[in-house]
Coordinates of all heavy atoms in Angstrom, one line a residue:
A1692 N 2.8 1.7 -21.3 CA 1.7 2.3 -20.6 C 2.2 3.1 -19.4 O 3.2 2.6 -18.7 CB 0.7 1.3 -20.2
T1787 N -7.5 -7.5 2.0 CA -8.7 -8.2 2.5 C -8.4 -9.7 2.8 O -9.3 -10.5 3.2 CB -9.9 -8.1 1.6 OG1 -9.5 -8.6 0.3 CG2 -10.4 -6.7 1.5
G1801 N -21.5 -8.4 -22.7 CA -20.2 -9.0 -22.5 C -19.4 -8.5 -21.3 O -18.2 -8.5 -21.3
D1881 N 6.0 -30.1 -10.8 CA 6.5 -29.3 -9.7 C 5.9 -27.9 -9.7 O 5.4 -27.5 -10.8 CB 8.0 -29.2 -9.8 CG 8.7 -30.5 -9.6 OD1 8.1 -31.5 -9.1 OD2 9.9 -30.7 -10.0
V1884 N 8.2 -21.9 -6.3 CA 7.7 -20.8 -5.4 C 8.8 -19.7 -5.3 O 10.0 -20.0 -5.1 CB 7.3 -21.3 -4.0 CG1 6.8 -20.2 -3.2 CG2 6.3 -22.4 -4.1
G1921 N -26.6 6.7 19.1 CA -27.4 7.8 18.5 C -26.6 8.5 17.4 O -26.0 7.9 16.5

Side-chain angles (χ1 to χ4, degrees):
T1787 53
D1881 296 339
V1884 180

